[in-house]
Amino acid sequence: MFDAPGLDPAWLTKTQCEAVLEKLVHASELGEHYINGFLRVLSQVHPECVIEFLKARITRYRLAKQVQAETTYQAFPWTRGEVRFEFPPDLPARRDFLAYVRDLLIELPSDWYWLTILFWSVGSRDKSTLSVLDDWLHEEDQSKLKCVLDLLAEAPKGLATSEPQFAAH
């Protein structure tokens, strides 16, 4: 349904988008449903819907972990490079979401792997992403600084050369 000849996200209204994504929040496994490309395009057409979808999956995951520590529900099932969102870089909700994911690294340290992938699937070498990282670079809280350093270790290649002012921290 979501692969090339399937549902074109550009045809969906915001209400239709919300309805489709609401159903997908409850799917415990998304990796086999070919929705990577669908979500990538949808992040251009209805970016706020995709951000709310990702938040809802994280919320559902956290609730599932409260009930059972080892849950089969995957909030973000993709590995590095499998999905690359294309949100408008200046979208305030995108920056807020990046800060939310960054903050989750402190709350959910055992989920570092997929949270880092999620961060860089949404973020890039742009001003808003770098500002989210910069917010914690000047913190005295060592756990926050460690989170930023961990995120920077997984950053897209060339960050230091493309953003020398940021790298000079």
Side-chain angles (χ1 to χ4, degrees):
M1 175 177 169
F2 297 109
D3 56 351
L7 184 61
D8 184 347
W11 297 344
L12 296 176
T13 66
K14 183 177 179 185
T15 303
Q16 291 169 325
C17 168
E18 291 168 342
V20 169
L21 292 177
E22 174 60 31
K23 291 178 185 353
L24 292 175
V25 166
H26 302 286
S28 63
E29 205 334 292
L30 292 177
E32 297 178 14
H33 294 283
Y34 305 105
I35 67 167
N36 314 25
F38 175 78
L39 289 173
R40 182 185 50 77
V41 174
L42 201 56
S43 69
Q44 299 167 346
V45 181
H46 297 293
E48 290 88 357
C49 291
V50 176
I51 288 171
E52 289 307 312
F53 164 72
L54 293 170
K55 283 182 177 179
R57 286 198 60 88
I58 292 169
T59 298
R60 184 168 169 87
Y61 170 77
R62 292 175 81 177
L63 291 171
K65 277 190 80 160
Q66 286 177 358
V67 173
Q68 185 177 7
E70 294 297 320
T71 179
T72 58
Y73 185 86
Q74 296 177 317
F76 191 76
W78 299 285
T79 59
R80 186 169 287 101
E82 278 189 303
V83 65
R84 179 80 191 120
F85 299 106
E86 295 183 11
F87 296 106
D90 58 346
L91 183 73
R94 177 179 172 265
R95 188 199 188 286
D96 294 344
F97 182 72
L98 287 168
Y100 170 70
V101 173
R102 177 207 61 202
D103 295 354
L104 285 174
L105 287 166
I106 299 267
E107 293 178 43
L108 303 170
S110 64
D111 295 307
W112 175 89
Y113 178 76
W114 67 264
L115 286 168
T116 303
I117 293 171
L118 176 58
F119 185 91
W120 289 112
S121 294
V122 173
S124 62
R125 297 182 299 209
D126 61 63
K127 184 187 280 188
S128 64
T129 302
L130 296 179
S131 74
V132 167
L133 296 170
D134 190 60
D135 288 347
W136 278 12
L137 275 177
H138 307 287
E139 285 282 331
E140 291 188 25
D141 182 340
Q142 293 299 304
S143 62
K144 290 180 178 181
L145 181 58
K146 182 187 178 322
C147 283
V148 171
L149 294 175
D150 286 346
L151 283 168
L152 287 170
E154 299 299 323
K157 292 190 183 337
L159 178 68
T161 55
S162 67
E163 300 296 332
Q165 300 85 354
F166 183 78
H169 273 81

